[in-house]
């Protein structure tokens, strides 16, 4: 987990789980949004660039890929949270969309 990530989440960051919907149904962070990695491009049409976004997956590999895709497309407040279960009992904030 990146340094200061807990504080970013506490301050209302959007948590996006990039695992498949099947994986997400088996367990996820309460309040997180499920956008599978292969749908992240479509989500850029409504994800807000100025909202801090923490990406998570099973191990951190897919969230790292999603993070790079978003950063390449102008998202600056994007963080790789790694494995969703490594964040423990953190609860996500709201889901701001434009």
């Amino acid at each position: 987990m990146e340094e200061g990530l807990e504080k970013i989440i506490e301050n209302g960051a959007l948590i996006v789980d990039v695992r498949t919907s099947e994986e997400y149904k088996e367990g996820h962070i309460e309040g997180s949004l499920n956008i599978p990695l292969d749908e992240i491009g479509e989500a850029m049409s409504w994800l807000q660039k100025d909202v801090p976004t923490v990406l998570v997956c099973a191990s951190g590999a897919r969230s790292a890929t999603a993070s790079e895709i978003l950063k390449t497309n102008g998202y600056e407040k994007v963080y790789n949270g790694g494995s969703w279960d490594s964040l423990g009992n953190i609860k996500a904030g709201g889901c701001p969309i434009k």
Side-chain angles (χ1 to χ4, degrees):
M1 180 172 18
E2 290 186 32
E3 185 79 22
L5 206 49
E6 283 188 48
K7 193 69 164 168
I8 292 166
I9 294 169
E10 286 174 13
N11 289 332
L14 174 64
I15 299 177
V16 175
D17 192 319
V18 297
R19 297 176 298 149
T20 65
S21 58
E22 292 78 21
E23 289 174 293
Y24 185 80
K25 288 175 189 169
E26 291 175 9
H28 57 270
I29 295 172
E30 183 181 328
S32 63
L33 183 62
N34 182 222
I35 305 173
L37 179 58
D38 63 353
E39 296 176 16
I40 204 76
E42 293 173 35
M44 286 190 289
S45 68
W46 55 267
L47 280 173
Q48 293 183 357
K49 290 185 177 184
D50 61 342
V51 174
T53 303
V54 177
L55 299 151
V56 297
C57 64
S59 67
R62 286 176 282 183
S63 55
T65 300
S67 176
E68 286 306 310
I69 290 169
L70 291 175
K71 286 178 180 177
T72 299
N73 285 280
Y75 290 79
E76 297 177 7
K77 299 176 181 179
V78 176
Y79 308 91
N80 181 3
S83 169
W84 72 273
D85 58 359
S86 71
L87 295 178
N89 294 322
I90 288 177
K91 303 291 185 277
C95 177
I97 58 173
K98 62 179 175 179

